[in-house]
Amino acid sequence: MKYALITGANRSIGFETARQLLQQGYYVYLGSRSLENGQQAVAQLHAEGLTQVEPVQLEVTDSASIRAARQAIGQKATGLDVLINNAGISGGFPQTATAADVAVFKEVYNTNVFAVVETTQAFLDLLRQASEPRIVTVTSSLGSIALNADPAWGYYHVKPAAYNSSKAALNMYTVALAYELRDTPFKVNAVDPGYTATDFNGHSGPGTVPDAAARVVKYAVVDANGPTGQLFSEETNPETGEIPW
Ligand SMILES: NC(=O)c1ccc[n+]([C@@H]2O[C@H](COP(=O)([O-])OP(=O)(O)OC[C@H]3O[C@@H](n4cnc5c(N)ncnc54)[C@H](OP(=O)(O)O)[C@@H]3O)[C@@H](O)[C@H]2O)c1
């Protein structure tokens, strides 16, 4: 049995990621900052016959919550095979480089960057107990500095400054993490689920939640020959998923 923890898994892409990992036989710790919402999500999965799942209260910007989740999971499992850092926020729009309040930047970085650092570090010891540990950071093509600087790119004019820069910072953290774990069995990758119809964007995205989650799951279950320290966006590059940082 392989064990996975997904942050922000009570709804949208995180929830569907849980469903797809369950369908692949994983045991899933379904992270939710509201335990009640997590319990409801788990009940829905149970009703679908997917029973190897339990909710874990996890507010990723709260150190005490992260510590408690780590302790709770550590008491049940000897190792963790997969960590998916999915929880993320946009910070709301508009969000310009010239006028967005620095408080918005701090709020967005807190969830999209600092919380990922803290959550990852908290679970690293459990992940090290697994034979083939995997970490996926859920990023966005909007975090690619190279694409943001390319006037030919389809989303060139989409520049929420706090969100895009937070995902760029998350990408660099992913590279640094993969580098430090390069001589271990870890695979650490940043994955863009694609512009997807969820609450995140008022359901404006063209992509579907199942497709988005499948892109994330693909790198959560890569085998020993799989990539590490890479950035993938199948929406941008349907052939290989590779895009510039
Ligand atoms: N949708 C897209 O088009 C798109 C495109 C590229 C990348 N992404 C990325 O994909 C990820 C998931 O996006 P989504 O579309 O599924 O977003 P969503 O519909 O807004 O859902 C976000 C999830 O994250 C949780 N969350 C937010 N802040 C949290 C916190 N501090 N602690 C714990 N959980 C927290 C939410 O919990 P609550 O229910 O408690 O609020 C919710 O479960 C994000 O990282 C996003 O940046 C999305």
Side-chain angles (χ1 to χ4, degrees), residues 167-215:
K167 290 297 189 182
L170 177 66
N171 288 353
M172 184 61 89
Y173 176 67
T174 308
V175 170
L177 183 65
Y179 171 78
E180 287 183 34
L181 295 169
R182 67 195 180 286
D183 295 325
T184 74
F186 272 83
K187 303 290 183 196
V188 181
N189 292 291
V191 179
D192 168 32
Y195 186 17
T196 306
T198 69
D199 302 334
F200 192 88
N201 47 42
H203 294 259
S204 62
T208 70
V209 170
D211 285 349
R215 291 165 175 164

Side-chain angles (χ1 to χ4, degrees), residues 4-60:
L5 168 64
I6 307 163
T7 67
N10 53 290
R11 61 186 168 101
S12 303
I13 296 170
F15 178 67
E16 177 63 22
T17 300
R19 181 188 274 133
Q20 292 186 15
L21 279 176
L22 286 163
Q23 288 166 343
Q24 293 206 27
Y26 281 70
Y27 189 97
V28 173
Y29 294 104
L30 186 148
S32 176
R33 59 181 155 183
S34 151
L35 184 58
E36 193 183 343
N37 289 346
Q39 287 165 337
Q40 282 174 12
V42 165
Q44 186 177 335
L45 293 167
H46 280 188
E48 295 172 17
L50 300 167
T51 55
Q52 297 182 152
V53 53
E54 65 183 274
V56 174
Q57 196 281 329
L58 182 50
E59 160 59 70
V60 294

